[in-house]
Amino acid sequence: MAAATGDMPTYQIRAPTTALPQGVVMATSPGSLHSPQQLAQEATRKRELRLMKNREAAKECRRRKKEYVKCLESRVAVLEVQNKKLIEELETLKDICSPKTD
DNA sequence: TTCGCAATTCGTCATCCGGT
DNA sequence: ACCGGATGACGAATTGCGAA
């Protein structure tokens, strides 16, 4: 697929993020954190939240990619039919235009 | 039935890139 | 500069299938 430094794949649609995944609870405000234990808990919570979001993002990314590939495949099918017709048409015109050698 | 293998799916990490 | 979303890469888990 697109190289890391390449252009954006056409199947990517950047949508604004809205709701949090179900079951995710916002943390208390940072100002209310004190002990190292609380800080550690907060770090763990943040990590779990990040993993959960990335998991969902990966699913969505793969879904879009599949859709994109399907779309490309159906376009290939259409173009193949079109190409076949054009080749046939060309052969017909060649027959009509070629001088009779006889 | 079960074993081995290939293909597919999934979760995670690393990185890039755009927005603030 | 920092943050967060998108995605490629990778390894682990799962699935499907033919051979024994």
Side-chain angles (χ1 to χ4, degrees), chain A residues 15-30:
Chain A
T17 38
T18 52
L20 247 34
Q22 280 195 335
V24 174
V25 181
M26 294 304 289
T28 52
S29 66

Side-chain angles (χ1 to χ4, degrees), chain A residues 67-81:
Chain A
E67 207 172 302
Y68 174 66
V69 169
K70 251 196 211 169
C71 193
L72 284 183
E73 283 170 347
S74 63
R75 180 157 168 72
V76 166
V78 166
L79 290 174
E80 277 174 350
V81 167

Side-chain angles (χ1 to χ4, degrees), chain A residues 80-98:
Chain A
E80 277 174 350
V81 167
Q82 198 176 328
N83 194 42
K84 200 177 166 190
K85 280 184 184 169
L86 287 170
I87 288 171
E88 282 171 7
E89 192 181 336
L90 178 62
E91 292 305 318
T92 305
L93 289 173
K94 272 194 205 165
D95 281 352
I96 291 171
C97 297
S98 66

Side-chain angles (χ1 to χ4, degrees), chain A residues 40-52:
Chain A
Q41 276 180 349
E42 176 65 4
T44 301
R45 195 197 61 82
K46 277 187 178 174
R47 174 184 156 77
E48 281 171 358
L49 183 58
R50 180 166 49 77
L51 289 180
M52 186 187 292

Side-chain angles (χ1 to χ4, degrees), chain A residues 53-69:
Chain A
K53 281 187 174 182
N54 189 245
R55 193 155 52 230
E56 294 305 310
K59 280 180 190 169
E60 184 59 17
C61 182
R62 285 164 181 152
R63 190 193 63 75
R64 279 198 301 267
K65 189 172 177 177
K66 268 190 180 176
E67 207 172 302
Y68 174 66
V69 169

